[in-house]
């Protein structure tokens, strides 16, 4: 189909705008990367723009010398794995019955669950409940209050309804299979892609969350990585605003900047490296959710 | 009844889920009654004496009330005005780009920031906007301007919050529109071309109506959460100097409740927020159902 002149011009325009947007998104990430491996004083002077200057890994050295951070990393790993395992089990346990037309009461159960998306008791009653249950400062506070997400239940239920052939399940029932057996032997083996999506959604959520740790944990030895990151990245900034003229302090301020850049890279590198390969799963999750929001 | 017996395993499977929702969502809703009580730790939620609307009155009369409402509404509406249309425009543009490779590259890059944690994003904002060593101020000074202390200047707070949110979320939010656009019958476009419809006309008359249902649903959800502006990011961006523009309902609840242990008062503030949100959601949903036949329920 031949294109008109205006259409070609519009096409070029779109390419230019999209390229600009892409650059705008990419450059800050790229800058953090090159800043993290440049000498801190070159970054502070504003000499680093396109390439790293005077290669230096002082930020990384300082970062890895910090034993608390390692502790935080291990805690996060623990919260992420156990939390995700619980999340996925609960999501299946919620979504499979709700996907079945012959599950009596599914209308009411769905309403009970969906209502919580739109109304909540708020931060304080939740906090008091967790406190009452004796979960403060334990791993339970990190994983149980967020045991399942309503949105993910809906995505999963939609998948079960639309992508698992009903005939296969019915045939198995006629052969005398129980509900659990059908779920285990027929439904779940056909749900590989959506399970991957769920694992990814939940795992990223746990990895990145700091809010429940902020309100439920006070013992530093339980802190997840994000809380230590908050100290480095966000609270470190406050000291910088203080006027300092001492020389050695200036030095440590520069190192502090280098540590910040390194911290961003270290905590996100695994994700950013894996992400292009996982992208299609994430996107699939959003798309399934979009079918019936 | 027979079906229930036949499917007993499904009920067993579902039981933990139901228990979870009751304990961790409905019990707190019940516990919100402390907003109408004078909570005393030794007497518990049930045993504490009733206080009527005392805490609500204190909140409405407090010096901070209008500041918090103004900030919460301001940030929420700003976010809606900017954060809602931009992903749509982005999706429409990506959809028009012919080269599949280019499209995929744009998508991969713009989705990526979604996976950064709030802590990291706020950390990056602070690094880039630092008056001493930040990239943005280097650019300003290289054009002869004066460095700006963005993070401590209240007038900048809302813009920084909203636009960094656009940076992080526009790609991810566009996915849902791209999915809707992919569902539009290409024959419609062919037919329109034959009829001589130009590029803009086709977007206006085919693509936009095609994604209108998605837009409506997301608009309802967005408006329903105008007052629910995220605690996580604002809290991290907050400092004593920008408080005037950054103090919102959620951060206020955190300060007076979790830190200050004024449980009843902050539960009242939180409840006020939940109720206003809920009313807004229902209202917008009702309007949408009348006007466009698309609604959440």
């Amino acid at each position: 189909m031949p294109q008109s002149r205006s259409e070609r011009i519009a096409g070029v325009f779109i390419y230019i705008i999209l390229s600009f947007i892409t650059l705008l998104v990419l450059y800050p990430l790229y800058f953090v990367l090159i800043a993290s491996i440049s000498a801190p004083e070159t970054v502070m002077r504003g000499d680093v723009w396109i390439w790293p200057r005077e290669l230096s890994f002082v930020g990384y050295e300082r970062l890895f010398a910090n034993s608390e951070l390692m502790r935080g990393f291990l805690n996060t790993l623990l919260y992420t794995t156990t939390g995700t395992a619980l999340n996925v089990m609960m999501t299946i346990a919620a979504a499979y019955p709700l996907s079945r037309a012959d599950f009596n009461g599914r209308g009411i159960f769905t309403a009970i669950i969906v209502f919580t998306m739109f109304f909540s008791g708020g931060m304080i009653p939740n906090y008091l409940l967790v406190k009452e249950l004796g979960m403060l400062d334990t791993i339970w506070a990190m994983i149980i209050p967020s045991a399942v997400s309503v949105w993910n239940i809906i995505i999963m239920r939609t998948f079960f309804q639309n992508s698992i052939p009903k005939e296969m399940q019915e045939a198995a029932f006629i052969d005398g299979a129980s509900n659990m057996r059908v779920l285990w032997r027929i439904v779940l083996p056909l749900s590989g892609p959506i399970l991957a999506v769920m694992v990814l959604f939940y795992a990223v959520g746990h990895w990145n969350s700091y809010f429940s740790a902020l309100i439920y944990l006070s013992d530093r030895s339980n802190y997840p990585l994000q809380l230590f990151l908050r100290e480095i990245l966000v609270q470190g900034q406050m000291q910088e605003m203080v006027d300092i003229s001492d020389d050695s302090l200036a030095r440590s301020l520069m190192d502090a900047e280098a540590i910040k850049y390194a911290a961003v890279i270290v905590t996100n590198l695994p994700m950013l490296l894996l992400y292009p390969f996982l992208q299609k799963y994430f996107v699939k999750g959003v798309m399934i959710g979009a079918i019936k929001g | 009844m027979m079906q229930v017996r036949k499917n007993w395993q499904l009920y067993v499977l579902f039981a933990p889920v139901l228990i979870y929702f009751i304990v961790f969502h409905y019990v707190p809703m019940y516990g919100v009654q402390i907003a109408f009580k004078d909570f005393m730790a030794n007497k518990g939620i049930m045993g504490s004496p009733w206080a009527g609307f005392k805490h609500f009155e204190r909140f409405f009369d407090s010096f901070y009330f209008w500041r918090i409402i103004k900030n919460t509404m301001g940030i929420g509406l700003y976010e809606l005005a900017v954060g809602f249309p931009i992903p749509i425009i982005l999706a429409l543009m990506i959809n028009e780009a012919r080269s599949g490779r280019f499209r995929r590259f744009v998508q991969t890059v713009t989705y990526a920031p979604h996976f950064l944690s709030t802590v990291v994003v706020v950390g990056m904002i602070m690094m880039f906007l630092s008056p001493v060593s930040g990239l943005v101020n280097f650019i300003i000074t290289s054009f002869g301007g004066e460095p700006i202390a963005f993070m401590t200047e209240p007038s900048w707070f809302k813009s920084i919050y909203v636009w960094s949110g656009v940076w992080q979320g526009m790609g991810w939010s566009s996915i849902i529109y791209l999915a809707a656009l992919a569902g539009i019958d290409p024959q419609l476009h062919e037919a329109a071309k034959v009829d001589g419809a130009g590029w803009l006309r086709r977007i206006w008359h085919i693509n936009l109506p095609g994604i209108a249902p998605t837009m409506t649903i997301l608009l309802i959800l967005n408006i329903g959460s105008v007052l629910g502006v995220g605690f996580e990011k604002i809290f991290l961006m907050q400092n004593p100097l920008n408080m005037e523009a950054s103090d919102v309902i959620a951060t206020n609840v955190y300060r007076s409740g979790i830190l200050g242990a004024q449980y009843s008062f902050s539960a009242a503030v939180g409840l006020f927020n939940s109720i206003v949100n809920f009313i807004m959601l229902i209202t917008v949903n009702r309007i949408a159902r009348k006007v466009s036949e698309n609604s959440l329920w």
Side-chain angles (χ1 to χ4, degrees):
Chain A
M1 172 115 5
Q3 288 180 309
S4 71
R5 221 175 96 97
S6 72
E7 212 151 301
R8 270 204 307 278
I9 295 171
V12 171
F13 226 68
I14 281 173
Y15 274 84
I16 292 172
I17 297 173
L18 282 179
S19 305
F20 180 68
I21 291 173
T22 310
L23 195 70
L24 222 53
V25 173
L26 196 58
Y27 184 70
L29 298 170
Y30 175 74
F31 179 81
V32 174
L33 179 70
I34 57 173
S36 76
I37 54 174
S38 299
E41 46 276 24
T42 62
V43 182
M44 290 285 264
R45 273 202 311 265
D47 288 346
V48 175
W49 287 98
I50 298 168
W51 303 113
R53 288 285 185 93
E54 299 171 31
L55 238 50
S56 151
F57 297 94
V58 61
Y60 293 92
E61 283 161 19
R62 292 290 183 89
L63 199 64
F64 287 116
N66 185 339
S67 65
E68 262 192 332
L69 219 60
M70 197 60 211
R71 177 89 224 162
F73 178 78
L74 291 176
N75 283 336
T76 293
L77 212 59
L78 177 70
Y79 302 150
T80 301
T81 46
T82 50
T84 305
L86 178 71
N87 291 148
V88 172
M89 283 191 293
M90 289 286 280
T91 309
I92 295 168
Y96 182 62
L98 294 180
S99 77
R100 290 270 301 268
D102 59 343
F103 181 61
N104 265 346
R106 77 171 182 161
I108 302 161
F109 291 136
T110 307
I112 289 175
I113 289 177
V114 171
F115 181 68
T116 64
M117 270 176 109
F118 303 119
F119 192 80
S120 81
M123 195 189 295
I124 302 303
N126 277 307
Y127 172 79
L128 290 176
L129 174 71
V130 171
K131 194 175 168 193
E132 201 82 344
L133 294 171
M135 289 184 183
L136 286 189
D137 254 320
T138 67
I139 178 177
W140 308 118
M142 294 291 96
I143 62 174
I144 294 188
S146 57
V148 70
S149 122
V150 178
W151 191 245
N152 288 345
I153 292 177
I154 296 173
I155 293 179
M156 193 91 179
R157 187 205 59 185
T158 309
F159 180 87
F160 285 155
Q161 272 173 353
N162 299 339
S163 308
I164 311 282
K166 285 193 180 54
E167 301 74 28
M168 275 178 79
Q169 298 190 50
E170 275 155 17
F173 287 131
I174 291 169
D175 289 344
S178 68
N179 278 306
M180 285 310 272
R181 200 177 156 78
V182 168
L183 173 62
W184 192 249
R185 303 301 290 267
I186 294 175
V187 175
L188 288 184
L190 288 172
S191 308
I194 194 73
L195 287 173
V197 171
M198 289 295 134
V199 169
L200 292 170
F201 275 174
Y202 283 122
V204 171
H206 283 291
W207 187 269
N208 284 342
S209 96
Y210 85 92
F211 177 67
S212 27
L214 177 76
I215 61 174
Y216 297 138
L217 302 182
S218 47
D219 183 352
R220 285 180 72 85
S221 66
N222 291 331
Y223 275 13
L225 189 60
Q226 296 294 337
L227 277 194
F228 290 117
L229 265 183
R230 167 174 170 247
E231 289 177 357
I232 295 173
L233 292 177
V234 179
Q235 295 175 319
Q237 181 82 7
M238 291 296 116
Q239 291 154 7
E240 194 201 74
M241 290 170 186
V242 183
D243 188 20
I244 291 165
S245 39
D246 190 276
D247 231 339
S248 63
L249 267 172
R251 174 77 246 168
S252 67
L253 270 184
M254 285 205 204
D255 287 353
E257 283 301 300
I259 292 170
K260 287 182 193 171
Y261 289 111
V264 171
I265 295 299
V266 168
T267 52
N268 288 296
L269 200 62
M271 193 61 223
L272 289 179
L273 284 181
L274 280 174
Y275 158 72
F277 302 100
L278 303 177
Q279 187 194 349
K280 63 173 185 201
Y281 292 107
F282 283 119
V283 172
K284 188 177 277 170
V286 177
M287 302 246 185
I288 294 171
I291 295 171
K292 175 77 188 125
Chain B
M1 221 34 225
M2 240 185 64
Q3 249 179 5
V4 174
R5 191 170 307 157
K6 196 187 84 200
N7 287 333
W8 66 272
Q9 285 184 331
L10 293 182
Y11 291 89
V12 174
L13 190 65
F14 195 74
V17 177
L18 196 60
I19 293 170
Y20 163 77
F21 275 98
I22 290 170
V23 172
F24 286 95
H25 292 271
Y26 287 91
V27 168
M29 282 184 215
Y30 182 72
V32 86
Q33 59 176 278
I34 62 165
F36 305 95
K37 288 184 163 183
D38 277 323
F39 180 72
M40 293 172 200
N42 55 347
K43 289 189 180 156
I45 291 172
M46 301 294 298
S48 298
W50 291 98
F53 287 90
K54 187 174 93 182
H55 303 294
F56 290 90
E57 279 164 19
R58 201 186 122 203
F59 175 54
F60 296 143
D61 290 341
S62 83
F63 164 70
Y64 293 112
F65 178 71
W66 285 112
R67 179 171 103 171
I68 298 171
I69 296 298
K70 212 181 82 199
N71 287 337
T72 314
M73 288 291 275
I75 293 174
L77 291 174
Y78 192 166
E79 202 176 19
L80 183 73
V82 174
F84 179 69
I86 285 183
I88 299 174
I89 296 168
L90 181 65
L92 288 171
M93 286 199 294
I94 292 177
N95 192 54
E96 288 302 310
R98 294 256 146 46
S99 151
R101 247 212 181 138
F102 180 73
R103 276 169 72 142
R104 271 194 301 279
F105 180 69
V106 173
Q107 284 171 287
T108 305
V109 170
T110 52
Y111 298 169
H114 172 79
F115 297 100
L116 300 177
S117 73
T118 315
V119 175
V120 165
V121 170
V122 174
M124 283 175 63
I125 293 172
M126 288 176 162
M127 291 190 272
F128 283 99
L129 298 182
S130 157
V132 188
S133 60
L135 201 62
V136 174
N137 275 311
F138 286 145
I139 297 172
I140 293 175
T141 46
S142 74
F143 283 101
E146 285 289 309
I148 300 169
F150 289 100
M151 295 308 291
T152 52
E153 182 57 58
S155 61
W156 277 101
F157 185 85
K158 290 185 180 70
S159 294
I160 296 169
Y161 176 84
V162 169
W163 288 98
S164 62
V166 167
W167 178 81
Q168 190 182 12
M170 65 176 165
W172 191 252
S173 313
S174 73
I175 295 178
I176 202 159
Y177 296 110
L178 281 168
L181 285 168
I184 293 174
D185 186 353
Q187 286 184 340
L188 283 176
H189 280 280
E190 295 306 324
K193 272 186 199 166
V194 173
D195 289 347
W199 171 75
L200 266 179
R201 288 182 75 92
R202 280 188 288 116
I203 290 185
W204 189 256
H205 290 291
I206 300 174
N207 284 353
L208 273 182
I211 59 174
T214 315
M215 281 166 58
T216 316
I217 298 288
L218 287 179
L219 187 63
I220 297 171
L221 287 174
N222 279 338
I223 294 178
S225 59
V226 159
L227 272 191
V229 288
F231 168 85
E232 301 210 355
K233 192 167 154 200
I234 293 185
F235 176 70
L236 290 174
M237 289 173 64
Q238 212 166 51
N239 61 51
L241 296 172
N242 66 22
M243 220 39 180
E244 190 191 316
S246 68
D247 198 16
V248 295
I249 296 175
T251 54
N252 190 276
V253 171
Y254 174 77
R255 258 201 329 281
S256 56
I258 309 278
L259 298 183
Q262 304 180 45
Y263 295 126
S264 285
F265 175 66
S266 45
V269 179
L271 180 63
F272 166 76
N273 192 9
S274 297
I275 290 174
V276 175
N277 268 341
F278 194 61
I279 291 173
M280 277 171 73
L281 186 76
I282 290 176
T283 315
V284 178
N285 191 57
R286 182 160 299 168
I287 295 171
R289 198 167 45 193
K290 282 229 174 82
V291 178
S292 74
E293 296 168 357
N294 287 301
S295 62
L296 281 178
W297 62 80

